[in-house]
Amino acid sequence: MSSTISGAAVVGGVCGQPIKHSMSPVIHNAWIAAASLDAAYVPFAPTAERFETFVDGLRGGAVRGVNVTIPFKERALALADTASDLAKMAGAANLLLFAADGSIHADNTDGPGLLGAIEAQAPGFEVAAAPILILGAGGAARGAVAALLLAGAPQIRIVNRTLARAQELADAFGERVIAADEAALPDLLADAGLVINATSLGLGGGEGPAVDLSLTPKTAVVMDMVYRPLRTEFLRRAQAAGRRTVDGLEMLLRQAIPTFEAIYGAPPSPAVDVRGMALKLLGEPC
Ligand code: NDP
């Protein structure tokens, strides 16, 4: 938040339920302060029953834009008048922008966040070079599939506890996406260029997906979307096998960049150590 907020301040925010653990207000307000913008970014926790009423009340642009997080991303997309290709493909929106004419535009910056994190922590990795294995078939997996397909992934393989859900995802995206059974993992890993944990396994420090990451090519990159804790057991195993890793925190931070630009009209300053701030919030060593 800027130290002085005038009556002309640009207001943005984030909505979810619950929202009190969100790091987005800290990140965006640090960027606002660094640029001395007349602006603020605030948290909203609409009740699940009143989400549509809440969003409808923002039509007209009194609030310029809001991030949307769990559990509202699918409902957010359904409320929008227009949507980006990525949001449509992902079937979910993590950003709603409110125009003065009352219309709502939906976008999804989780995908760019994922690609940006890979670029930052596994430089030189080529999405188009080899098949990609995604563990999980929930909302995060769906967003990842959309972004990776648009970025040129040759084939995406989905493995999920509930195979039917993986199959549903594959059917929705066409022939470049296949669903596979856990029994096929050794074959699926053998030529995978990228393995992503998009399940909630490992959250809070538990065991990650039971996948033998040493079966991947030595050049493979392993990513975990889970970022509490930062160094998940899944990423530790990948590192022990000598694979390059990408963490979920970097994805979270990278999705915030296009969001900030869309709401406040300028790129955030790279001089602000948002990763250090987030690590502090997570109680991780910087
Ligand atoms: P969903 O609830 O939509 O999906 C959860 C997925 O995890 C499903 O595939 C589910 O399988 C699987 N799963 C859950 N429990 C188990 C288990 N015990 N064994 C095997 N599989 C299991 O969640 P999301 O897709 O929204 O989120 C997934 C993860 O990604 C979360 O940890 C979330 O925090 C993280 N995330 C991180 C982001 C970032 O910016 N870093 C952005 C978005 C999400 P099944 O279908 O069988 O139930």
Side-chain angles (χ1 to χ4, degrees):
M1 197 153 50
S2 160
S3 55
T4 52
I5 299 177
S6 81
V10 176
V11 181
V14 58
C15 59
Q17 185 61 259
I19 201 65
K20 69 177 177 189
H21 298 299
S22 172
M23 287 193 274
S24 296
V26 174
I27 293 165
H28 286 278
N29 285 310
W31 282 333
I32 286 170
S36 300
L37 296 181
D38 185 10
Y41 184 97
V42 292
F44 299 105
T47 61
E49 301 74 41
R50 300 264 175 204
F51 176 70
E52 280 73 17
T53 313
F54 165 76
V55 172
D56 215 37
L58 302 181
R59 285 185 188 269
V63 168
R64 184 75 58 84
V66 287
N67 274 129
V68 182
T69 186
I70 288 172
F72 299 131
K73 289 184 183 182
E74 287 83 8
R75 286 163 69 181
L77 178 65
L79 287 169
D81 302 293
T82 57
S84 67
D85 287 347
L86 205 47
K88 283 188 220 163
M89 275 178 83
N94 77 330
L95 177 63
L96 293 178
L97 296 168
F98 303 97
D101 65 4
S103 64
I104 302 176
H105 179 71
D107 205 346
N108 192 316
T109 64
D110 284 335
L114 178 132
L115 297 172
I118 293 171
E119 203 180 308
Q121 296 190 337
F125 172 79
E126 284 176 38
V127 171
I132 292 169
L133 174 63
I134 297 183
L135 307 166
R142 194 184 178 97
V145 170
L148 290 164
L149 280 181
L150 284 178
Q155 186 187 59
I156 300 178
R157 301 152 174 180
I158 316 280
V159 171
N160 191 46
R161 175 178 63 178
T162 312
L163 181 58
R165 215 172 163 201
Q167 192 59 57
E168 215 174 280
L169 202 60
D171 292 346
F173 281 104
E175 59 187 20
R176 276 199 288 158
V177 184
I178 59 162
D181 192 79
E182 283 177 4
L185 273 171
D187 285 342
L188 302 176
L189 288 160
D191 61 348
L194 172 66
V195 179
I196 301 176
N197 176 30
T199 74
S200 41
L201 282 172
L203 193 61
E207 299 248 323
V211 171
D212 184 352
L213 294 166
S214 69
L215 296 178
T216 56
K218 284 191 166 51
T219 52
V221 170
V222 176
M223 174 171 189
D224 201 336
M225 288 203 193
V226 172
Y227 58 87
R228 291 175 201 264
L230 182 70
R231 303 317 298 173
T232 58
E233 192 255 349
F234 188 67
L235 289 186
R236 284 211 186 98
R237 276 192 277 125
Q239 280 171 335
R243 304 298 181 263
R244 288 198 292 170
T245 59
V246 177
D247 63 57
L249 178 61
E250 197 60 27
M251 175 176 167
L252 182 82
L253 296 173
R254 298 272 161 180
Q255 65 75 31
I257 296 172
T259 292
F260 186 87
E261 286 177 6
I263 298 178
Y264 301 107
S269 165
V272 183
D273 180 16
V274 283
R275 190 173 166 94
M277 294 167 68
L279 288 173
K280 229 177 249 171
L281 287 173
L282 290 172
E284 297 275 353
C286 294

